[in-house]
Amino acid sequence: GAVVSQHPSWVICKSGTSVKIECRSLDFQATTMFWYRQFPKQSLMLMATSNEGSKATYEQGVEKDKFLINHASLTLSTLTVTSAHPEDSSFYICSTPAGDRETQYFGPGTRLLVL
Amino acid sequence: DAKTTQPPSMDCAEGRAANLPCNHSTISGNEYVYWYRQIHSQGPQYIIHGLKNNETNEMASLIITEDRKSSTLILPHATLRDTAVYYCIVLTDSWGKLQFGAGTQVVVTP
């Protein structure tokens, strides 16, 4: 069964609004979560690393004030796309390493469409 | 982490073995070879990983050359559900950031 869930699975919003995406680890603690985005016909691009209880680390070129990440508990990390614009329309995916240090589990993804 | 090179696409007949190559000529001694796949509109899925020895699990086999500069993922009996983009990634351990390349688009045909 799924070990990482995301909510919502898809969202449509108007330009200028903010959208929150949740990533939950099921039945295990996730001290670290990674956030990716994927544009159509492209590969996944790492956006940021989310650590429980501390500030997220952003990849070069990713605006930390636009993509707010909160990792307030060991099972939940949230990504908020603030003042979303059509160019933010993408597939957002989270992942977290497994406790055995051998694999990473990915969420099913959230498709965002900004009109 | 070392970069990898994969062919952009590959077709495979259903029921036949699919052999997916990956070059990682700059791999260092403590780096593993990981394979993930992404079925359309889903999150990636872990397949297999290895360091030096060949590995096999219920999904696939991984063959790593002796010099570790390349590897091959083998799907022994491809099914239509194996149609996906397959990513070969080299990194020290799973807690590291996964940097996805373009991958190989595998299409399994009836």
Side-chain angles (χ1 to χ4, degrees):
Chain A
V3 295
V4 177
S5 69
Q6 284 186 239
H7 178 80
S9 55
W10 60 270
V11 57
I12 301 173
C13 70
K14 292 182 179 180
S15 184
T17 61
S18 294
V19 176
K20 180 185 284 188
I21 301 170
E22 294 183 348
C23 177
R24 291 183 185 275
S25 60
L26 308 175
D27 300 325
F28 70 100
Q29 295 179 340
T31 55
T32 299
M33 285 184 174
F34 298 101
W35 284 96
Y36 299 82
R37 64 180 167 184
Q38 185 175 32
F39 294 108
K41 297 191 184 301
Q42 295 186 23
S43 189
L44 286 81
M45 291 181 56
L46 180 66
M47 298 176 67
T49 303
S50 166
N51 295 299
E52 187 267 336
S54 63
K55 289 184 179 180
T57 304
Y58 292 81
E59 295 300 301
Q60 191 173 8
V62 177
E63 301 174 57
K64 62 180 178 164
D65 294 329
K66 179 166 182 65
F67 299 99
L68 301 179
I69 291 174
N70 184 280
H71 196 150
S73 78
L74 287 171
T75 59
L76 174 64
S77 175
T78 60
L79 168 68
T80 301
V81 183
T82 62
S83 187
H85 290 286
E87 58 266 29
D88 298 322
S89 298
S90 188
F91 191 47
Y92 292 86
I93 307 168
C94 66
S95 75
T96 186
D100 61 6
R101 303 186 74 94
E102 292 201 331
T103 65
Q104 282 205 26
Y105 295 115
F106 285 81
T110 296
R111 193 162 299 281
L112 170 65
L113 177 61
V114 184
L115 300 176
Chain B
D1 296 318
K3 286 187 181 284
T4 62
T5 304
Q6 299 176 252
S9 64
M10 174 179 293
D11 291 338
C12 178
E14 188 178 19
R16 304 294 294 269
N19 297 305
L20 283 63
C22 179
N23 286 323
H24 31 79
S25 58
T26 60
I27 192 171
S28 60
N30 63 344
E31 288 181 314
Y32 290 78
V33 180
Y34 279 82
W35 284 84
Y36 285 81
R37 74 179 182 184
Q38 184 180 25
I39 296 170
H40 183 62
S41 293
Q42 296 183 22
Q45 176 190 24
Y46 165 82
I47 302 173
I48 199 168
H49 76 285
L51 183 64
K52 289 190 241 185
N53 300 323
N54 298 337
E55 302 288 344
T56 295
N57 62 20
E58 64 279 3
M59 289 183 70
S61 294
L62 175 61
I63 308 297
I64 303 174
T65 57
E66 195 168 337
D67 63 7
R68 304 209 322 125
K69 292 185 177 181
S70 65
S71 60
T72 301
L73 178 74
I74 301 172
L75 307 177
H77 304 286
T79 70
L80 299 179
R81 287 190 297 271
D82 292 322
T83 292
V85 179
Y86 288 76
Y87 297 99
C88 169
I89 301 170
V90 169
L91 73 166
T92 307
D93 65 43
S94 74
W95 286 77
K97 303 175 193 178
L98 293 179
Q99 301 287 359
F100 287 84
T104 296
Q105 171 68 66
V106 173
V107 176
V108 181
T109 55

